[in-house]
Amino acid sequence: MKTLKLTLIFSLFFTTTMAQLAEIEGGIYRWDELPVKEGGQRIGRKIMEGSSPHFEFLEIHATTQEKGAKPSPPHTQKDIEEVIIIKEGLMKMTMDGVSKILPAGSVILIPPLVEQSMENVGDGPMTYYVMMFRSKKPVDVNRGKEAGGAMFINVNNLDERTTKLGSSTSYFDRPTATCEDFEMHVTMLKGKGPSHEPHTHIGSEILLMIEGETEMLIGDQKYQGKAGDLYFVKSNVLHGISNIGETPCKYFAYQWH
């Protein structure tokens, strides 16, 4: 009987683990449809969790902290890297004892083994996206350090480059501790039409809507998204985004391999 019980427990654990690590589907993840969990002056929204072509673990969620919410305690991740995008509000971010105050539109890269904590220091809610990932390849902490290590990227310090269709703002393009290359930028399209012709590349990619209305081709399907929505494109899958609204659209685009 004891052996049977242990077998059932192991089977349940194994099944649960495999379910958590199932490969994430490409497509759209709509802000209005995300499951919501509230408590402790916080609202959490789970966006996705599983594996991807380059990551054995990938999890993305969004958190809203109310004004006066208790700061998160300092902690580190052993073999997980993180990227944070501030959606609204004002964040005080501390990494290895260095603190910066960052507004909406700013980005933070947190390598493994870096101690981190955050606090809402604005006059209203603070909302941010967190992308956590563990590579299928071994972590290379030195590679990440040589490329720049942890990063606080204040959107107000970035240069916006004018393009034929609108503008582009580069955040970073570099190796990290868990990726051979990770690139992030923001694109703004002034008028209707595509950003570029549908294409493929080895890197998986996320497009996170900031404002406006878009249509995204992923494989043989088309999806329509607005602010807060997230498109996920797997490695080597045909894709292309277009502005379909009467006003400019704006979105984060980030890819890695």
Side-chain angles (χ1 to χ4, degrees):
M1 186 67 180
K2 184 177 181 181
T3 302
L4 177 59
K5 185 180 290 185
L6 288 174
T7 301
L8 289 172
I9 291 172
F10 176 80
S11 298
L12 179 60
F13 174 79
F14 182 79
T15 302
T16 302
T17 302
M18 291 301 292
Q20 289 175 342
L21 297 181
E23 191 159 297
I24 296 167
E25 294 295 326
I28 188 168
Y29 294 78
R30 303 183 191 280
W31 181 266
D32 293 342
E33 298 175 3
L34 297 176
V36 175
K37 183 177 180 180
E38 299 186 41
Q41 293 184 290
R42 287 169 168 79
I43 300 173
R45 292 176 170 87
K46 175 66 71 70
I47 300 174
M48 63 176 66
E49 182 175 2
S51 65
S52 74
H54 299 96
F55 295 145
E56 68 174 20
F57 172 76
L58 171 61
E59 192 263 1
I60 301 178
H61 65 270
T63 298
T64 298
Q65 291 187 16
E66 298 301 327
K67 180 181 178 181
K70 185 178 179 181
S72 61
H75 63 281
T76 61
Q77 303 281 10
K78 180 182 177 182
D79 56 2
I80 289 177
E81 200 155 38
E82 296 183 54
V83 169
I84 294 176
I85 299 174
I86 304 173
K87 185 176 187 289
E88 66 172 340
L90 201 61
M91 176 185 290
K92 179 182 178 182
M93 186 71 192
T94 302
M95 293 191 286
D96 282 347
V98 178
S99 299
K100 302 283 186 181
I101 295 178
L102 301 169
S106 299
V107 167
I108 301 145
L109 172 67
I110 311 171
L113 305 178
V114 170
E115 186 179 74
Q116 58 165 298
S117 64
M118 67 177 68
E119 182 180 0
N120 181 1
V121 293
D123 294 328
M126 175 183 74
T127 301
Y128 54 93
Y129 297 90
V130 180
M131 174 180 174
M132 306 173 65
F133 45 97
R134 181 191 299 115
S135 176
K136 291 180 178 178
K137 297 181 178 180
V139 173
D140 190 340
V141 174
N142 287 332
R143 178 181 64 194
K145 287 181 178 179
E146 290 171 0
M151 291 195 297
F152 304 89
I153 305 177
N154 189 322
V155 64
N156 295 328
N157 296 333
L158 300 178
D159 294 324
E160 186 178 40
R161 178 175 62 87
T162 300
T163 66
K164 290 182 179 180
L165 300 178
S167 68
S168 178
T169 303
S170 177
Y171 279 67
F172 63 86
D173 186 356
R174 49 160 279 194
T176 72
T178 63
C179 297
E180 294 178 3
D181 186 70
F182 200 121
E183 186 268 339
M184 291 189 72
H185 65 274
V186 165
T187 293
M188 188 273 284
L189 301 176
K190 284 185 176 180
K192 284 187 175 182
S195 173
H196 42 65
E197 291 298 316
H199 63 287
T200 64
H201 43 66
I202 190 172
S204 298
E205 186 171 14
I206 286 174
L207 291 94
L208 175 60
M209 290 296 302
I210 301 172
E211 60 185 61
E213 298 176 18
T214 57
E215 183 173 82
M216 183 78 175
L217 170 70
I218 301 177
D220 58 0
Q221 296 190 53
K222 291 183 178 180
Y223 306 89
Q224 293 186 357
K226 59 183 181 180
D229 295 344
L230 181 151
Y231 299 108
F232 179 57
V233 183
K234 292 184 181 181
S235 174
N236 293 318
V237 172
L238 184 71
H239 63 282
I241 190 169
S242 298
N243 181 7
I244 60 171
E246 300 297 332
T247 60
C249 73
K250 195 173 185 180
Y251 53 89
F252 270 97
Y254 42 113
Q255 60 175 289
W256 60 87
H257 62 83

